[in-house]
């Protein structure tokens, strides 16, 4: 009479065995799964927050456009500060592919204070610029409170504050019409700008009319920066013509840039930083995997009687190996699943707090679960092989 062939374990049988083994030691299972959960949650959150930030940036660039160019005076061949001719605005406006042109001029000697009793040294890092009336339209900026300069207010002591400048001066939406001390005389606040993402320096600036600067603050009319809004399809063409058109006599003394490139560079820097944080998350995941392996090794040592009993009742080495490998995988999956949920919640909460769209690519949770399975398989392989190698008599006698 031939011996009966060993029964085959179905996947559901392996799952039941694994669940039974884990339920017997719930505290140890929770602590072991926690390591995996922290690693996966960190990776999900890092990638999710990074992609949400980039999604916000892409929306912003789509809204503001990437066709804004700027030109500013550089330095001469002898290292002296160059200037732009006053006619540069009108000359740039004659380029057919240019939609709008505007300019600002810095009042280097003027400072803005909340009152005339504040020491001159406490300027708060705020700058004062004379601005042309079409600046807002060219930049795509908006007014958060009050109004922008017009033909009337541009001739009189009226000022529009950048978003951060208003905060530093303690002037909120309800204080439009308040006087501030600009360059040694009182100016009236007529508006506050919303943050200007493409030109963030304006957030820390006070803007007055070009004629008012010349009339009240001895503004010399020198252009600090030209802003050009080009046709989207002709940005490169306009960029190539900008320096020679703005200053035909010395185009090499004109610095041309595209403000949206700074935002793109910022996104690239964030991407590199994300890679670093992702590496730290991978280290946490590796530590979690070591914790699972340690738990499974201890489990094998403590359950030698169970192993011996099962072997004596007909369980093969393969059955024992599958049982412990299944426990390791189930333990890792519990940690990985919890980590995915925690990471997604952290991403959603942070993105909502920042006002960003929540963007977690599908490959992130899928990749996290795949990494979890890999870690669980590697961590559980050695304990499973070790358990399967125990002979029934050896296991029973050792217990």
């Amino acid at each position: 009479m031939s011996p009966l062939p060993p029964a085959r374990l179905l996947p559901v049988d392996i799952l039941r065995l694994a669940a039974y083994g884990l339920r017997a030691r719930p505290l140890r299972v929770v602590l072991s799964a926690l390591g995996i959960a922290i690693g996966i949650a960190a990776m999900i959150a890092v990638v999710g927050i990074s992609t949400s930030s980039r999604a916000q940036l892409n929306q912003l660039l789509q809204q503001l456009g990437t066709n804004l160019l700027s030109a500013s005076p550089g330095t001469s061949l002898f290292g002296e500060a160059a200037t732009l001719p006053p006619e540069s605005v009108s000359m740039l406006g004659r380029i057919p592919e240019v939609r709008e042109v505007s300019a600002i001029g810095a009042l280097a000697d003027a400072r803005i204070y909340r009152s005339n009793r504040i020491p001159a040294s406490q300027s708060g890092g705020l700058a004062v610029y004379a601005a042309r009336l079409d600046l807002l339209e060219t930049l795509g900026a908006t007014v958060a409170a009050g109004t922008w300069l017009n033909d009337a207010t541009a001739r009189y002591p009226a000022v529009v504050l950048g978003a951060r400048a208003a905060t530093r001066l303690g002037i909120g939406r309800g204080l439009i019409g308040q006087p501030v001390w600009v360059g040694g005389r009182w100016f009236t606040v007529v508006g506050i700008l919303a943050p200007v993402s493409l030109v963030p320096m304006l957030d820390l600036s006070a803007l007055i009319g070009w004629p008012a600067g010349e009339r009240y603050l001895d503004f010399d009319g020198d252009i600090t920066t030209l802003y050009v809004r080009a046709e989207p399809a002709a940005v490169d063409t306009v960029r190539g013509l900008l320096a020679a058109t703005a200053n035909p006599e010395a185009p090499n003394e004109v610095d041309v840039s595209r403000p949206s490139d700074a935002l793109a560079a910022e996104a690239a820097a964030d991407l590199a930083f994300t890679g670093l944080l992702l590496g730290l998350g991978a280290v946490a995941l590796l530590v979690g995997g070591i914790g699972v392996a340690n738990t499974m090794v201890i489990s094998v040592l403590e359950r030698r009687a169970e192993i011996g009993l099962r072997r004596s009742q007909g369980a093969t080495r393969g059955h024992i190996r599958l049982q412990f490998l299944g426990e390791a995988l189930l333990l890792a999956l519990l940690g990985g699943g919890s980590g995915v949920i925690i990471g997604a919640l952290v991403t959603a909460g942070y993105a909502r707090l920042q006002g960003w769209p929540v963007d977690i690519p599908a490959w992130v949770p899928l990749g996290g679960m795949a990494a979890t399975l890999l870690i669980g398989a590697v961590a559980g392989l050695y304990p499973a092989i070790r358990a399967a190698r125990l002979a029934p008599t050896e296991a029973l006698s050792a217990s």
Side-chain angles (χ1 to χ4, degrees), residues 7 30 65 105 107 110 113 129 144-145 157 165 186 240 274 287 314 317 352 379 382:
V30 169
L107 286 86
Y113 304 93
Y129 291 96
W186 293 105
T274 298
V287 172
R317 293 179 184 274
R352 294 292 185 191
Y382 170 71

Side-chain angles (χ1 to χ4, degrees), residues 68-76 80-85 88-89 92 101-106 129 199 201 222-228 239 242-247 250-259:
L68 180 68
L69 298 169
S70 66
S72 56
T75 56
S76 66
E80 299 175 346
T83 58
L84 291 173
S88 55
V89 174
L92 287 174
V101 186
S102 191
I104 60 173
Y129 291 96
V199 190
M201 75 171 189
D222 281 348
I223 295 173
T224 303
T225 308
L226 287 163
Y227 296 105
V228 177
R239 188 171 188 164
L242 202 55
T245 308
N247 192 353
N252 58 309
E253 297 178 0
V254 180
D255 295 331
V256 178
S257 62
R258 186 161 64 170

Side-chain angles (χ1 to χ4, degrees), residues 80-314:
E80 299 175 346
T83 58
L84 291 173
E87 302 80 13
S88 55
V89 174
S90 57
M91 289 190 293
L92 287 174
R94 296 190 192 105
I95 299 177
E97 293 85 1
V98 170
R99 288 182 180 176
E100 291 124 9
V101 186
S102 191
I104 60 173
L107 286 86
D109 298 329
R111 294 289 182 272
I112 179 170
Y113 304 93
R114 184 67 179 85
S115 76
N116 57 352
R117 297 182 180 277
I118 297 177
S121 59
Q122 298 180 12
S123 63
L126 305 181
V128 180
Y129 291 96
R132 293 186 178 273
L133 296 182
D134 50 5
L135 179 68
L136 223 59
E137 184 179 359
T138 303
L139 297 181
T142 58
V143 176
T147 61
W148 175 240
L149 300 169
N150 54 39
D151 289 332
T153 55
R155 298 179 178 277
Y156 293 98
V159 60
V160 175
L161 302 176
R164 295 175 63 189
T167 302
R168 291 193 182 183
L169 292 172
I171 296 180
R173 294 169 180 259
L175 295 178
I176 300 298
Q178 289 291 309
V180 290
W181 191 249
V182 182
R185 64 168 300 133
W186 293 105
F187 275 63
T188 301
V189 177
V190 297
I192 300 174
L193 293 181
V196 186
S197 302
L198 284 179
V199 190
M201 75 171 189
L202 293 183
D203 294 341
L204 284 170
S205 303
L207 303 170
I208 64 175
W210 205 277
E214 295 173 337
R215 182 176 180 182
Y216 299 108
L217 301 179
D218 297 327
F219 175 49
D220 56 11
D222 281 348
I223 295 173
T224 303
T225 308
L226 287 163
Y227 296 105
V228 177
R229 183 71 72 172
E231 295 289 346
V235 173
D236 291 336
T237 302
V238 174
R239 188 171 188 164
L241 297 173
L242 202 55
T245 308
N247 192 353
E249 293 183 356
N252 58 309
E253 297 178 0
V254 180
D255 295 331
V256 178
S257 62
R258 186 161 64 170
S260 58
D261 289 347
L263 292 178
E266 182 182 344
D270 287 345
L271 196 59
F273 191 60
T274 298
L276 176 63
L277 294 179
L278 202 57
L280 295 177
V283 171
L285 185 60
L286 180 61
V287 172
I290 294 173
V292 170
N294 185 49
T295 298
M296 294 308 300
V297 168
I298 294 174
S299 180
V300 170
L301 295 176
E302 290 179 346
R303 295 162 62 187
R304 281 177 296 185
E306 175 191 336
I307 296 170
L309 184 61
R310 289 201 61 210
R311 289 296 311 278
S312 63
Q313 290 179 341

